[in-house]
């Protein structure tokens, strides 16, 4: 991206924001987080986001970003590789373990093929080498935001399934676990030391409480629960 010090698209909302104030807009609009220790470039990128109507927050280091609150809505993180303290690549690898993984667009002035491959393997949506075209960055951000929308929708569905799972009794959970594993009623009855009629009754309750109509649907929702039903 070519920097233009004379460009002024209005004050970027992140320039005076404290790290702890980082929150997604309440209307569910996407927000772009920029982590880059180059102040002039960061402000230029903030201006670019403002010019296309995107909410934006800027940070000079990974720690500043981590000190803020987790975004509530769809988001994208534009992350420089070389940063003071924890590097962008180290942070990207750490994010692989997080449940809420904000999609990342990596930017760097010192990129090479091995680094780009490593970034993509660590979950980056795109890898851009400075200087890059504004449109290339905006396209990458759009793809990242759409990915996050889908991710948030999946998390919401998974949370709903887990909530239903917790409405089951211990006996019903035991039956569901075994049904999801492909066991027959007779086998389940023998393993749990109950009658086959009891298994059928519990299985019916499981279907109602999990809000599914077919065995295939039950197996599908069971696969969304992290834990015993898998």
């Amino acid at each position: 991206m070519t920097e233009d010090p004379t460009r002024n698209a209005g004050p970027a909302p992140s320039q005076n924001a404290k790290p702890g104030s980082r929150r997604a807009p309440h209307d569910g609009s996407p927000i772009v987080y920029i982590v880059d220790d180059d102040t002039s470039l960061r402000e230029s990128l903030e201006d670019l986001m403002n010019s296309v109507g995107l909410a934006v927050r800027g940070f000079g280091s990974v720690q500043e970003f981590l000190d803020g609150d987790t975004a509530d809505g769809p988001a994208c993180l534009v992350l420089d590789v070389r940063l003071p303290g924890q590097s962008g690549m180290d942070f990207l690898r750490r994010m692989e373990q997080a449940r809420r993984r904000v999609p990342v667009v990596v930017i760097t002035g010192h990129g090479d093929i091995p680094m780009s491959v490593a970034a993509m393997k660590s979950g980056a949506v795109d890898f851009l080498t400075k200087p890059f075209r504004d449109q290339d960055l905006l396209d990458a951000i759009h793809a990242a935001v759409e990915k996050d929308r889908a991710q948030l929708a999946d998390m919401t569905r998974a949370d709903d399934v887990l909530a239903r799972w917790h409405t089951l009794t211990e006996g019903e959970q035991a039956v569901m676990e075994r049904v999801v594993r492909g066991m027959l009623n007779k086998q389940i009855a023998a393993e749990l030391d109950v009658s086959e009629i009891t298994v059928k009754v519990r299985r019916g309750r499981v279907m109602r409480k999990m809000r599914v109509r077919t065995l295939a649907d039950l197996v599908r929702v069971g696969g969304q629960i992290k834990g015993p039903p898998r």
Side-chain angles (χ1 to χ4, degrees):
M1 173 174 176
T2 304
E3 297 181 35
D4 181 1
T6 64
R7 184 175 55 159
N8 184 6
S14 60
Q15 289 176 324
N16 297 317
K18 296 180 180 179
S21 67
R22 179 168 62 89
R23 286 192 179 276
H26 293 295
D27 62 0
S29 299
I31 183 167
V32 178
Y33 300 119
I34 299 172
V35 180
D36 195 314
D37 62 332
D38 184 333
T39 303
S40 62
L41 177 58
R42 188 173 67 247
E43 292 177 352
S44 181
L45 293 177
E46 290 170 352
D47 284 346
L48 175 62
M49 300 303 110
N50 284 325
S51 72
V52 295
L54 286 171
V56 59
R57 299 289 186 273
F59 303 91
S61 69
V62 166
Q63 191 57 52
E64 283 186 19
F65 176 74
L66 292 175
D67 285 341
D69 299 322
T70 302
D72 298 322
C76 166
L77 172 60
V78 178
L79 180 67
D80 189 23
V81 169
R82 295 193 175 184
L83 294 166
Q86 183 176 179
S87 73
M89 289 299 294
D90 287 340
F91 179 56
L92 190 59
R93 283 187 284 268
R94 278 184 56 191
M95 283 187 65
E96 288 186 272
Q97 308 302 319
R99 179 172 184 264
R100 174 73 169 99
R101 295 175 56 186
V102 178
V104 177
V105 175
V106 174
I107 58 175
T108 181
H110 308 278
D112 53 30
I113 293 177
M115 183 184 292
S116 64
V117 171
M120 302 301 278
K121 284 185 176 180
S122 295
V125 175
D126 210 336
F127 185 96
L128 301 177
T129 302
K130 304 172 185 176
F132 44 77
R133 295 192 311 126
D134 289 355
Q135 192 59 52
D136 288 340
L137 177 61
L138 293 174
D139 288 345
I141 288 172
H142 175 74
V145 166
E146 291 308 306
K147 179 178 180 178
D148 201 38
R149 286 189 196 279
Q151 175 177 279
L152 289 173
D154 288 343
M155 288 175 61
T156 298
R157 286 191 290 268
D159 288 344
D160 184 49
V161 168
L162 186 59
R164 294 181 219 165
W165 161 258
H166 285 303
T167 68
L168 303 181
T169 65
E170 185 176 339
E172 290 163 355
Q173 289 180 352
V175 168
M176 179 175 167
E177 291 169 14
R178 289 158 178 80
V179 169
V180 169
R181 295 207 306 260
M183 294 178 64
L184 301 176
N185 288 349
K186 184 176 181 179
Q187 296 171 315
I188 296 173
E191 185 167 304
L192 296 179
D193 195 22
V194 297
S195 69
E196 194 169 342
I197 293 297
T198 297
V199 172
K200 289 180 180 178
V201 170
R202 290 179 181 176
R203 184 167 175 166
R205 290 173 180 167
V206 166
M207 299 291 282
R208 288 193 297 274
K209 290 182 179 181
M210 296 304 295
R211 302 177 195 169
V212 295
R213 295 183 177 181
T214 68
L215 174 59
D217 288 338
L218 184 62
V219 172
R220 176 180 54 79
V221 298
Q224 296 177 34
I225 302 172
K226 295 184 182 299
R230 291 202 165 203

